[in-house]
Amino acid sequence: MRAVIVAIFVAFLISLFATPVAIKVFTRLKAGQPIRADGPIMHQGKKGTPTMGGVVFIVATVIAYVAGHLALTTLPEAQIAQVTPTITALVLLGLMVFSGAVGFIDDFLKVRKRNSAGLNKRGKLLGQILVGAVFGVVALYFPSTAGATVGSTALSFIRDINALEVGKVASVVIFIFVVMSTTNGVNLTDGLDGLATGASVMVLAAYALIAFWQYRHWCADTDYARGGAYCYTVRDPLEIALIAGAAAGACVGFLWWNTSPARIFMGDTGALGLGGLIAGMAMATRTVILLLILGGLFVIITMSVVIQIISFRTTGKRVFRMSPLQHHFELAGWSEVNIVVRFWIIAGIGVAIALGLFYSEFLASTT
């Protein structure tokens, strides 16, 4: 627990104090966010706000991970399951950094071209596939000395569903799909000041709790599992909890400056980075299907875009005034702050339901 707490506070402090520095740097570099001409008219006032702020909380998360490990090394060896960096950390931080790199290229091109086009859809898609494929292979084909892998060859809800074993190749394909879905889901949610940041904090905090619970009831902990107690067969749950906590803390520090009126945007750098990390969390904790509930807000907003596209292409009519969904409510007259807070409530409800299901499954299995 000490390592997780250290990582959270280090990430929070770095993000809180480094973000205003990033604001000044990106402002001097004229890295202002281009605004879509066909977007809500009220967004034109945000033109020129520095973007690519996701760099700050991605770097803060990586540094906090190192700090958390330094805290681990101060504990007696018998009390820790892993001290040295693991393949799990490589996968999770790799997904965050390299998904963020795809977003950074997109942001850079937007700033350079002075328009909102950025990286074309094919380029962004190929980048997401490449990142998902590389780390999917690492997650499935590099087991620990005990034979455990970061990812699973079975579909999972709250744990692996053994009846839905699909094999390594199919699991890598699923891994890629989850990465693509989650990165795009967070990216679509990032449209109002603080919306995606706040929702991501909730999801990451939930994963920190889930992973730490799995660590306390871990099958690899022989003292715990020896008595036949109910346990989880995930790999390196303390690592997962540490990284999830660090990312959540970093996002809270960033939110101080990103809340309305935002002084900096996370950009695709931050949105894709967070999406990649959350996807990795779902795979590593064996909660892929649960992510649909845990990240319910991302699902709702993504589906609003899908519904809009299908409706317009098949009937020529729009279901919403504008998609993603948050812009529909902007055009309906809701203030930006009201939309963000109410959507945060929806995100919180999804997280609460998911955590309730996770804990209920544990209680049901131990009675």
Side-chain angles (χ1 to χ4, degrees):
M1 175 60 85
R2 181 191 303 179
V4 177
I5 293 175
V6 167
I8 291 171
F9 277 98
V10 168
F12 169 73
L13 292 174
I14 291 174
S15 192
L16 180 66
F17 291 108
T19 301
V21 176
I23 293 172
K24 293 179 181 178
V25 171
F26 289 140
T27 299
R28 289 175 182 173
L29 293 175
K30 298 182 179 180
Q33 174 69 49
I35 303 298
R36 290 170 48 191
D38 58 347
I41 188 65
M42 59 283 292
H43 284 203
Q44 295 304 314
K46 300 180 180 183
K47 187 175 182 179
T49 302
T51 187
M52 296 187 282
V55 170
V56 176
F57 57 72
I58 291 174
V59 171
T61 300
V62 174
I63 294 174
Y65 169 76
V66 175
H69 268 267
L70 292 176
L72 275 176
T73 59
T74 65
L75 296 175
E77 185 175 352
Q79 294 183 18
I80 55 177
Q82 64 260 326
V83 173
T84 57
T86 63
I87 290 292
T88 302
L90 172 66
V91 170
L92 296 179
L93 293 176
L95 283 169
M96 186 181 199
V97 171
F98 286 95
S99 294
V102 174
F104 182 85
I105 294 171
D106 187 35
D107 287 332
F108 177 78
L109 292 176
K110 289 177 182 177
V111 170
R112 185 177 181 182
K113 296 176 181 178
R114 294 289 187 266
N115 63 53
S116 60
L119 187 64
N120 61 48
K121 292 180 180 179
R122 181 177 297 178
K124 188 181 293 186
L125 183 64
L126 288 175
Q128 293 168 334
I129 291 174
L130 180 61
V131 171
V134 169
F135 290 102
V137 169
V138 174
L140 271 299
Y141 287 87
F142 289 82
S144 65
T145 53
T149 54
V150 178
S152 172
T153 56
L155 291 178
S156 60
F157 177 39
I158 294 174
R159 60 179 62 244
D160 286 341
I161 305 172
N162 294 326
L164 296 178
E165 184 81 20
V166 296
K168 288 187 177 181
V169 175
S171 294
V172 172
V173 174
I174 292 171
F175 196 102
I176 295 170
F177 175 76
V178 174
V179 169
M180 292 173 59
S181 300
T182 311
T183 51
N184 286 307
V186 177
N187 197 23
L188 290 171
T189 304
D190 182 34
L192 300 181
D193 296 350
L195 178 56
T197 310
S200 296
V201 167
M202 297 181 204
V203 174
L204 290 166
Y207 270 124
L209 291 173
I210 287 172
F212 192 76
W213 183 264
Q214 291 175 333
Y215 171 66
R216 295 300 300 270
H217 304 85
W218 192 20
C219 294
D221 184 347
T222 54
D223 290 336
Y224 177 80
R226 185 178 295 119
Y230 189 67
C231 60
Y232 297 92
T233 56
V234 300
R235 177 174 175 176
D236 306 318
L238 185 58
E239 287 279 80
I240 303 170
L242 193 156
I243 293 169
C251 285
V252 172
F254 181 76
L255 185 61
W256 182 275
W257 307 99
N258 181 236
T259 193
S260 183
R263 291 186 56 189
I264 188 170
F265 299 139
M266 69 166 69
D268 281 16
T269 305
L272 298 189
L274 288 174
L277 177 60
I278 291 171
M281 292 286 168
M283 301 297 292
T285 57
R286 310 294 200 264
T287 55
V288 172
I289 298 176
L290 187 67
L291 178 58
L292 294 173
I293 302 171
L294 193 62
L297 179 65
F298 303 141
V299 175
I300 291 170
I301 288 177
T302 301
M303 289 308 299
S304 73
V305 176
V306 173
I307 291 170
Q308 186 86 322
I309 292 173
I310 292 174
S311 176
F312 187 75
R313 289 183 178 178
T314 56
T315 68
K317 296 181 180 179
R318 292 180 172 85
V319 176
F320 307 104
R321 289 181 171 90
M322 181 179 289
S323 66
L325 188 61
Q326 60 269 31
H327 299 318
H328 166 82
F329 288 104
E330 277 191 291
L331 296 182
W334 290 23
S335 71
E336 182 170 2
V337 173
N338 278 344
I339 297 169
V340 170
V341 172
R342 288 167 181 170
F343 276 38
W344 279 354
I345 292 172
I346 294 171
I349 291 172
V351 167
I353 293 173
L355 289 176
L357 290 172
F358 179 84
Y359 186 60
S360 296
E361 190 268 352
F362 177 83
L363 290 180
S365 299
T366 54
T367 55

